[in-house]
Amino acid sequence: MTFYEMIEDMSLALNREKLVIFVGAGVSKNSGLPTWGQLVQEFAGKIDYPTNGRLATEEYIRIPQYYYCLDESEGHSSYYSLLKSMLPENIRPNLLDELIVSLHPKHIVTTNFDTLLDQVASGYEVIREDKDLMTGISSHYLLKLHGDIHQPEKLVFKEDDYLHYSHTHRLMETFLKSLLIDHVFLFVGYSLNDYNLKTFVSWIEYIAEEMHVKQQMHRNYFLSSSLHAGKDYLRKYYEGKGLEVIDLYQLPDEVEKQAESVPLADDLGRRTYAVLELLC
């Protein structure tokens, strides 16, 4: 598919109220918050875990688990305090947060712990845990899949949290999987090696194969910053799993030019904004 064919397909899904936007830490970065990798690197430094500035996929969840196991403070208060200290509450939403909400997708899903989207998500009911979904009455949700910094003990961050997710967040997981049948997913603010992205894509692939509809299923999309580094094998990998990848560093000239005028400090944020704006 060409770039504009993908934009047209997402716009059509948006108009039909069939678009679900997933928001990762790359979006919150535009408000000055750390990325997932930066959070984990901070934990690694506290326990002298050698990363050499790079993290393997499994280390994103294992390093926090190591810290948690070494933490002998009462109720693991040191672990939770470190997390809270890196996500201050006085941070304001950025232009990307506001644009995503203004597009008014059917649902907004985030793995972020911060409250940036909460602050601007007018018209969306915030779902932070299974019990919220049981009592939800809105047709539009902001699903905080991994919890909220205001409830640090319920955050999904370390390995055990991920391993137990299907039990501790049974309704949220089931609800998301049900959306895969007839909704288009758009992933924003994730890296191609993101553990969360791999999990979501595995759901897409499993359901397509389980229901024998792999060829008939709608496409899902991912805005990527990784392919410009010569990682075209990643594109082929994800395309084979039903995910079309838009390389943010290989945009049409007119979109590149539009990105230059976006008032965000981060280049990737500007490019992301320029692409999402085309869905309006």
Side-chain angles (χ1 to χ4, degrees):
M1 297 181 75
T2 67
F3 173 81
Y4 284 110
E5 285 174 337
M6 289 188 276
I7 294 296
E8 183 179 1
D9 190 43
M10 286 186 282
S11 296
L12 182 60
L14 180 65
N15 292 333
R16 291 177 173 174
E17 291 202 329
K18 292 293 185 180
L19 183 67
V20 178
I21 300 183
F22 280 69
V23 180
V27 171
S28 296
K29 178 183 177 183
N30 292 274
S31 288
L33 291 179
T35 63
W36 189 13
Q38 290 169 333
L39 281 174
V40 175
Q41 289 284 4
E42 183 69 17
F43 276 79
K46 296 292 184 181
I47 60 174
D48 295 323
Y49 183 97
T51 65
N52 298 318
R54 302 186 66 179
L55 296 167
T57 301
E58 66 274 6
E59 289 179 310
Y60 278 86
I61 61 175
R62 196 161 293 163
I63 290 173
Q65 186 70 49
Y66 291 155
Y67 184 102
Y68 184 87
C69 292
L70 290 169
D71 179 18
E72 297 181 350
S73 61
E74 184 176 355
H76 297 279
S77 59
S78 175
Y79 170 84
Y80 296 117
S81 294
L82 181 54
L83 261 177
K84 290 189 71 173
S85 70
M86 299 182 68
L87 297 169
E89 297 182 18
N90 61 345
I91 299 297
R92 301 297 301 164
N94 60 73
L95 291 178
L96 270 176
D97 293 310
E98 295 171 356
L99 176 58
I100 289 168
V101 173
S102 71
L103 290 173
H104 205 62
K106 179 62 176 180
H107 302 294
I108 301 172
V109 182
T110 183
T111 48
N112 298 339
F113 309 144
D114 59 65
T115 62
L116 298 180
L117 284 168
D118 310 41
Q119 295 176 52
V120 294
S122 177
Y124 286 84
E125 185 171 352
V126 182
I127 305 296
R128 298 179 176 86
E129 52 186 318
D130 273 8
K131 70 176 185 179
D132 296 333
L133 199 56
M134 292 177 65
T135 57
I137 59 174
S138 175
S139 60
H140 296 276
Y141 292 144
L142 166 58
L143 286 99
K144 306 192 75 171
L145 288 188
H146 291 171
D148 188 289
I149 194 60
H150 291 144
Q151 297 176 297
E153 71 283 353
K154 295 182 179 180
L155 295 179
V156 177
F157 186 55
K158 61 187 188 300
E159 187 175 49
D160 281 352
D161 303 328
Y162 279 88
L163 293 176
H164 300 156
Y165 192 87
S166 291
H167 302 290
T168 58
H169 297 75
R170 188 174 303 169
L171 292 182
M172 292 179 75
E173 182 174 314
T174 300
F175 178 72
L176 271 180
K177 287 179 177 178
S178 72
L179 295 178
L180 283 169
I181 304 302
D182 62 348
H183 286 70
V184 173
F185 286 8
L186 168 60
F187 298 93
V188 180
Y190 294 93
S191 73
L192 278 171
N193 283 318
D194 192 294
Y195 188 92
N196 297 312
L197 181 67
K198 289 179 180 292
T199 298
F200 301 142
V201 170
S202 73
W203 292 353
I204 295 171
E205 185 179 38
Y206 176 78
I207 289 176
E209 293 181 351
E210 180 73 9
M211 300 184 68
H212 306 290
V213 293
K214 190 167 186 177
Q215 301 304 318
Q216 291 79 35
M217 277 189 73
H218 54 74
R219 297 175 185 269
N220 299 286
Y221 298 91
F222 171 62
L223 303 189
S224 168
S225 62
S226 303
L227 296 180
H228 72 288
K231 298 180 180 178
D232 198 51
Y233 59 86
L234 286 174
R235 181 200 298 275
K236 294 298 182 182
Y237 171 82
Y238 280 105
E239 285 179 351
K241 295 178 178 294
L243 194 67
E244 293 287 337
V245 181
I246 295 177
D247 186 350
L248 290 170
Y249 284 91
Q250 293 292 330
L251 299 175
D253 291 343
E254 61 273 19
V255 182
E256 292 261 6
K257 186 175 181 180
Q258 183 62 29
E260 294 174 1
S261 64
V262 176
L264 287 170
D266 181 61
D267 181 50
L268 186 56
R270 292 194 296 270
R271 292 169 178 272
T272 301
Y273 189 98
V275 173
L276 290 180
E277 197 173 31
L278 295 174
L279 302 181
C280 295

